[in-house]
Amino acid sequence: AQTVTQSQPEMSVQEAETVTLSCTYDTSENNYYLFWYKQPPSRQMILVIRQEAYKQQNATENRFSVNFQKAAKSFSLKISDSQLGDTAMYFCAFMKPRGGRGATNKLIFGTGTLLAVQP
Amino acid sequence: DTAVSQTPKYLVTQMGNDKSIKCEQNLGHDTMYWYKQDSKKFLKIMFSYNNKELIINETVPNRFSPKSPDKAHLNLHINSLELGDSAVYFCASSQGLRNEQYFGPGTRLTVT
């Protein structure tokens, strides 16, 4: 069974600085997707970024980028130029996409990292 | 334009009651999900429907019954509510090959 581990329950960063959130996962699969979701105090779950395991290039979305190390099963999220609006719980998630044996499309989440951006 | 909507957003009820949460998506997606977020913020899949067919049914008590009248709707009915059912329930949807799941705003259920 796949598992996702986020070892940092809480983190803090100053506005305009850069912060990296860690995520590791365990799987025997070769084809899978990884995601970072953001949950601000409003409770809404917002997709931040996704990475397909077969792609070597790290995904980037504006100020958000990932460092995907497939062999190490590591998927960290870097937030550059942190803004007050980035304050939220961040969840790393794993998915075996539908189409293969045993694939169900369900997201397996880590326990989350609460990020506070300080003014 | 609301992509995935849930009603109600808040639900307070007593133990033993039966309640339903409704979910609708206007994204044209073919797959919908229910997730439960507990008091420690941990999110776990409960159910998933693809084209109205149940494809995921995790270890969930029989008191929980999903119903998908059409591809755009997935409702969750809970019988004989218990204190431990208190949580935030999220509906989500996705479309085939793209696989991103888009979440609704969540329903906070409080059982007293």
Side-chain angles (χ1 to χ4, degrees), chain B residues 53-96:
Chain B
E53 178 186 352
L54 182 66
I55 59 170
I56 298 175
N57 186 353
E58 293 289 293
T59 308
V60 177
N62 290 337
R63 299 181 294 103
F64 291 78
S65 54
K67 283 186 172 53
S68 182
D70 55 57
K71 286 199 300 183
H73 296 85
L74 179 62
N75 304 323
L76 183 65
H77 187 76
I78 316 170
N79 290 325
S80 303
L81 277 155
E82 300 177 358
L83 292 176
D85 297 331
S86 294
V88 178
Y89 292 85
F90 284 97
C91 177
S93 73
S94 68
Q95 176 60 34

Side-chain angles (χ1 to χ4, degrees), chain A residues 33 35 37 39 43-45 47 50 89 91 95 97-98 104-107 109, chain B residues 9 31 33 35 37 41 43 50 56 58 90 98-101 103-106:
Chain A
Y33 292 173
F35 302 88
Y37 280 87
Q39 186 177 37
R43 188 173 82 203
Q44 179 72 51
M45 291 288 291
L47 177 64
R50 89 170 199 176
M89 181 76 89
F91 292 97
M95 183 175 70
R98 197 166 69 225
T104 62
N105 249 35
K106 67 179 180 183
L107 285 168
F109 286 93
Chain B
K9 287 194 171 60
T31 308
Y33 312 79
Y35 287 86
Q37 185 173 41
K41 302 285 190 181
L43 279 147
N50 173 250
I56 298 175
E58 293 289 293
F90 284 97
R98 285 193 60 79
N99 291 297
E100 292 99 346
Q101 294 181 21
F103 284 74

